[in-house]
Amino acid sequence: MNVHGHRRREINRAITDQLERVAHTTLLGLTHPSAIELARRLIEIAPGGLSRVFYSDTGAAAMEIALKMALQYWQQCNPPRPHKTKFFSLCNAYHGDTVGAMSVGGIDLFQRAYHQLLFPILQARGAYCYHCHLHMSYPACRFTCLNEVEQMIAEKADELAAVVMEPMVQGAAGMLVYPAGYTRAVWEIAKRHQVLFIVDEVATGFGKTGKMFACEHEGIEPDVMALGKGITGGYLPLAATITTEQIYRAFLGTVEQQRTFYHGHTYTGNPLACAAALASLDLFEQEQTLQQLQPKIALLTKELERFKQLSLVGDIRQCGFMVGIELVQDKQTRLLFPTREKVAVRVTKEARRRGVIIRPLADILVVMPPLSISEEELGILLNVIYDSIVSILGSS
Ligand SMILES: *Cc1c(COP(=O)(O)O)cnc(C)c1O
């Protein structure tokens, strides 16, 4: 989740400067200058009407907060709609490893053992085009798979608190990149049926898709956005849940009304982490990180082209600097390798022997370089991955 590289002088300095002031002070009923300043900066860059920041310390917590916020909003909005208590998400979703975040997740392997703990949700199949469950192909399909999504949401709109979604890319599922327009279409369905839209930008936020936030690719305005991972440049644990004025106002009232959002972690909005996050945002501006990134994304796209010729590379998915290379046993039938062959694990181990640390998700090789990578380093990275695939699986 590193953004600007390791040992960045500017971020190191910001942390040690903060350390000279105070290492930690609670956000429970109190605040501190770095948290205030960071909230102001996050709102400046956040999409749409997002204007209120609630801090925490991990992506999973940011999602738990988003879920609790949505649920309580419907109890306290005017007029209240307390029957809106359910959540909708897509298969293959990943939102973190805590109980609420797992409940809205959609990767069976991660949640199977904890089934007893999870609350029921509505879930439809999303656009995993390479293994399309409708056996159609994009764009000829015209998003036929959205029919199921719309039907499910429309039918239960009165009970639905929110639709939860990773915009543009389902990361943990294996870098499943949606076609352009898909995320926006789901957002429009949620809006049409008066269901809140929660975006999980924990993985996609802070430049990984080529824009500051993935929402920007689709021009969507979520009601709640969860941030984590890259927020501190990859330095320290910090997360944030950002919401709109409308939702914020539903939590205001007299002491007797008890409309408070009761959620807080001891290390929420830690000052050292906030200082790192501010320094990271400064670097985005000073180094024009997002502008500098564009030619590197183009280079990455070009370099990935030759991977397509490899006989056991089935699909290559890319959204900015988020890439998944899916290995298959048979390119024609898209047949997966038996799990026990651990092909992607073997390829990543080979890459490690050659000096590159990457990691697999099932049989998908994940490539997600720091935004600060040079073109030369990008070349080395891809050469090693290419050679490692050939070395383990052969080239034909
Ligand atoms: C990593 C991730 C999370 C969980 O974040 P943690 O900081 O690991 O708790 C949630 N959602 C998405 C999309 C993620 O990629």
Side-chain angles (χ1 to χ4, degrees):
M1 278 305 120
N2 197 282
V3 178
H4 306 290
H6 296 291
R7 287 194 299 132
R8 288 305 304 254
R9 212 168 10 90
E10 298 86 345
I11 302 179
N12 293 0
R13 169 77 57 79
I15 295 170
T16 51
D17 283 354
Q18 178 64 51
L19 207 43
E20 294 298 332
R21 296 193 292 272
V22 63
H24 187 64
T25 162
T26 184
L27 277 194
L28 308 176
L30 211 64
T31 187
H32 59 79
S34 299
I36 296 169
E37 173 66 9
L38 179 60
R40 200 179 58 71
R41 296 277 296 275
L42 288 173
I43 288 160
E44 268 171 27
I45 56 172
L50 297 175
S51 62
R52 296 285 171 172
V53 178
F54 195 98
Y55 289 111
S56 56
D57 45 19
T58 61
M63 283 306 297
E64 297 285 341
I65 289 162
L67 300 176
K68 286 172 69 174
M69 216 177 246
L71 193 78
Q72 194 173 345
Y73 166 76
W74 290 114
Q75 293 166 37
Q76 297 178 181
C77 65
N78 193 11
R81 299 183 66 183
H83 298 299
K84 286 170 84 67
T85 58
K86 294 199 163 60
F87 292 91
F88 171 95
S89 73
L90 294 167
C91 295
N92 292 314
Y94 178 75
H95 300 292
D97 288 338
T98 50
V99 171
M102 262 197 297
S103 294
V104 291
I107 301 176
D108 183 57
L109 180 66
F110 296 164
Q111 48 203 62
R112 195 182 299 151
Y114 318 106
H115 193 72
Q116 255 50 292
L117 279 177
L118 309 183
F119 56 76
I121 59 152
L122 294 173
Q123 197 160 67
R125 283 191 277 198
Y128 186 176
C129 299
Y130 183 63
H131 295 293
C132 175
H133 62 280
L134 299 173
H135 308 288
M136 300 178 116
S137 60
Y138 177 80
C141 66
R142 293 164 177 250
F143 291 143
T144 303
C145 59
L146 278 173
N147 293 345
E148 187 193 348
V149 173
E150 171 120 41
Q151 217 166 23
M152 224 182 240
I153 293 174
E155 204 171 291
K156 297 281 183 197
D158 288 342
E159 297 167 44
L160 272 175
V163 167
V164 183
M165 186 176 182
E166 292 158 89
M168 298 297 286
V169 191
Q170 286 184 321
M175 298 293 172
L176 312 187
V177 179
Y178 298 129
Y182 180 83
T183 307
R184 187 182 172 90
V186 178
W187 173 65
E188 282 172 355
I189 291 170
K191 257 167 69 103
R192 198 153 51 236
H193 297 288
Q194 294 181 25
V195 176
L196 297 177
F197 193 71
I198 299 173
V199 284
D200 181 348
E201 290 247 18
V202 172
T204 50
F206 301 97
K208 295 289 178 185
T209 67
K211 292 187 185 287
M212 191 56 100
F213 300 111
C215 285
E216 296 169 33
H217 292 280
E218 304 270 289
I220 60 174
E221 300 187 2
D223 299 290
V224 184
M225 178 164 89
L227 298 175
K229 289 195 169 113
I231 190 171
T232 59
Y235 265 61
L236 288 165
L238 182 72
T241 308
I242 312 188
T243 190
T244 60
E245 219 48 33
Q246 183 187 338
I247 293 181
Y248 170 76
R249 273 200 302 269
F251 291 84
L252 302 179
T254 62
V255 175
E256 293 76 30
Q257 285 177 306
Q258 299 207 333
R259 287 151 74 97
T260 303
F261 184 59
Y262 284 106
H263 191 109
H265 299 281
T266 306
Y267 285 101
T268 278
N270 171 259
L272 299 173
C274 288
L278 282 166
S280 171
L281 290 179
D282 285 343
L283 283 175
F284 266 103
E285 285 179 13
Q286 287 156 15
E287 304 196 328
Q288 300 196 302
T289 306
L290 294 174
Q291 287 94 314
Q292 301 294 330
L293 185 62
Q294 305 312 315
K296 292 188 261 186
I297 291 174
L299 177 69
L300 182 56
T301 309
K302 189 169 141 276
E303 290 280 325
L304 284 168
E305 201 52 41
R306 68 194 161 107
F307 284 69
K308 291 183 183 156
Q309 268 101 59
L310 291 172
S311 61
L312 302 179
V313 168
D315 194 23
I316 296 172
R317 298 181 283 270
Q318 182 191 9
C319 181
F321 254 23
M322 297 179 78
V323 172
I325 300 170
E326 183 161 344
L327 305 171
V328 289
Q329 194 172 16
D330 186 325
K331 217 162 164 166
Q332 250 57 55
T333 59
R334 305 186 177 185
L335 181 71
L336 304 175
F337 282 100
T339 314
R340 72 187 128 78
E341 288 198 23
K342 299 203 279 189
V343 286
V345 171
R346 279 155 55 207
V347 172
T348 49
K349 281 189 173 160
E350 180 60 27
R352 211 165 287 185
R353 272 192 287 277
R354 294 163 185 257
V356 161
I357 301 173
I358 53 165
R359 119 190 140 92
L361 291 163
D363 274 343
I364 296 138
L365 303 171
V366 177
V367 187
M368 197 158 48
L371 309 191
S372 60
I373 195 168
S374 69
E375 296 201 356
E376 194 193 345
E377 290 165 332
L378 202 51
I380 296 170
L381 175 66
L382 287 158
N383 279 339
V384 168
I385 296 172
Y386 185 92
D387 292 344
S388 303
I389 296 175
V390 172
S391 156
I392 297 296
L393 299 172
S395 56
S396 56

